Amino acid sequence: ATGGTEIVKIYACLELSNVDVLDSNGISVVSASRPDRQAFEIGFDRSSPKAKTLVVSSTEAWSEDGVCL
């Protein structure tokens, strides 16, 4: 993060039911037990010390309850 600290954190729920990852043979490598939704904690920081624009500075899978309802 620019300046060392994130200035905004959000919790987002991503819908993954239509997302697939294929190997070089075109075969899905996604586990059948993968949840359709995945929660993430996303951090944002300024794009430069004096900027008014935010950029993503971190993303982490979030395993706590309450995000994807």
Side-chain angles (χ1 to χ4, degrees):
T2 304
T5 58
E6 294 169 326
I7 61 172
V8 175
K9 276 196 180 184
I10 66 166
Y11 298 89
C13 184
L14 298 181
E15 171 63 51
L16 302 173
S17 62
N18 291 319
V19 175
D20 203 358
V21 179
L22 307 176
D23 67 13
S24 60
N25 296 313
I27 309 240
S28 178
V29 295
V30 174
S31 170
S33 64
R34 180 190 72 185
D36 287 342
R37 295 183 180 141
Q38 173 65 54
F40 284 89
E41 178 183 70
I42 305 170
F44 295 86
D45 197 0
R46 291 185 177 101
S47 57
S48 66
K50 294 185 179 183
K52 294 181 181 179
T53 305
L54 296 177
V55 295
V56 174
S57 58
S58 67
T59 57
E60 292 185 42
W62 183 256
S63 60
E64 302 294 323
D65 292 333
V67 177
C68 296
L69 302 177

